[in-house]
Amino acid sequence: DTAVSQTPKYLVTQMGNDKSIKCEQNLGHDTMYWYKQDSKKFLKIMFSYNNKELIINETVPNRFSPKSPDKAHLNLHINSLELGDSAVYFCASEDRTRTYEQYFGPGTRLTVT
Amino acid sequence: QKEVEQNSGPLSVPEGAIASLNCTYSDRGSQSFFWYRQYSGKSPELIMFIYSNGDKEDGRFTAQLNKASQYVSLLIRDSQPSDSATYLCAVRTRNAGNMLTFGGGTRLMVKP
């Protein structure tokens, strides 16, 4: 019954590769996010989608491309991976009907070697 | 100046004591304030949110908001070792497109 799920949980890959992370929420929310948490635990927003449309695109390299096939899914594709991309990536879903609470997925730990 | 600032800690308190976690923010137009708890290797989970000046209590947790001073705090009464985690303050700011801006977190250690 996981509310926000992400796959894979761990991803180890080499520099230059292309990889994707998938996110799904079953909460019925219209808004979803991708966050990056670096080794210093700073949680920084990358993208936000509302009802399949991009509403926030923070300053991230264009090697990162989000895609939302429907409002329950928000995937993240990363091209030409670099060492600095190593981090934990969290997907989150937001309830904008009441309290604007965000619910986070379990995270994907990406290690680029 | 960072938009949302927290002391990184660690803040060490003995079991049973009150832990006080503080957060300041720079945008006076900020509308809502959230406290998340993050255990090591896990995702952030929402503990409390507060919109209005004053105190809001939920069990052992109390959130305090002072918009004039741009200050929000979280008090944890009767701290337990299981409260040991990183606590993230998040602020919803109009200047940031109404999205959440997180502080760097304060690591809390509750010693038995």
Side-chain angles (χ1 to χ4, degrees):
Chain A
D1 246 61
T2 308
V4 184
S5 59
Q6 288 179 234
T7 53
K9 191 167 174 58
Y10 300 96
L11 187 52
V12 181
T13 188
Q14 291 184 326
M15 284 176 55
N17 284 348
D18 303 338
K19 291 293 177 185
S20 291
I21 307 172
K22 294 185 176 182
C23 177
E24 177 180 359
Q25 55 98 359
N26 62 7
L27 297 167
H29 297 161
D30 287 341
T31 305
M32 296 179 72
Y33 296 85
W34 277 111
Y35 287 91
K36 179 181 180 181
Q37 190 171 45
D38 59 26
S39 57
K40 294 184 178 179
K41 303 299 184 187
F42 225 99
L43 198 60
K44 190 165 171 56
I45 190 169
M46 301 175 69
F47 300 102
S48 171
Y49 266 74
N50 181 263
N51 207 8
K52 301 193 297 175
E53 290 191 22
L54 180 67
I55 57 172
I56 294 173
N57 180 357
E58 290 299 297
T59 309
V60 298
N62 57 16
R63 299 182 293 104
F64 290 79
S65 52
K67 187 166 279 188
S68 181
D70 55 61
K71 71 176 191 179
H73 296 83
L74 181 61
N75 304 323
L76 183 66
H77 188 76
I78 316 169
N79 288 327
S80 304
L81 278 154
E82 299 178 357
L83 292 176
D85 298 333
S86 296
V88 180
Y89 292 84
F90 288 103
C91 174
S93 169
E94 183 174 77
D95 176 6
R96 289 202 161 195
T97 60
R98 299 186 305 120
T99 57
Y100 282 70
E101 296 171 44
Q102 287 191 9
Y103 299 86
F104 284 79
T108 296
R109 181 175 293 277
L110 172 65
T111 304
V112 182
T113 61
Chain B
Q1 182 191 3
K2 290 180 185 171
E3 293 182 48
V4 181
E5 294 212 50
Q6 296 180 255
N7 188 319
S8 61
L11 172 65
S12 183
V13 300
E15 183 174 355
I18 296 175
S20 178
L21 303 156
N22 304 317
C23 173
T24 58
Y25 59 94
S26 59
D27 183 359
R28 283 197 170 274
S30 298
Q31 301 156 303
S32 48
F33 308 85
F34 300 80
W35 282 100
Y36 284 82
R37 176 177 63 200
Q38 187 175 23
Y39 292 112
S40 181
K42 301 294 186 182
S43 58
E45 56 176 326
L46 182 67
I47 300 175
M48 291 191 70
F49 58 87
I50 185 167
Y51 297 147
S52 306
N53 274 331
D55 294 2
K56 179 181 178 183
E57 189 173 315
D58 184 0
R60 295 187 296 114
F61 298 97
T62 299
Q64 298 176 316
L65 175 61
N66 183 328
K67 289 188 177 180
S69 300
Q70 295 174 243
Y71 175 97
V72 58
S73 64
L74 180 70
L75 301 178
I76 307 175
R77 288 182 299 282
D78 188 23
S79 295
Q80 301 297 309
S82 59
D83 294 326
S84 299
T86 296
Y87 289 80
L88 302 169
C89 171
V91 176
R92 189 169 298 279
T93 53
R94 281 189 302 220
N95 285 353
N98 225 24
M99 66 179 186
L100 278 185
T101 302
F102 283 83
T106 297
R107 191 157 73 94
L108 173 67
M109 295 172 57
V110 180
K111 298 192 172 179

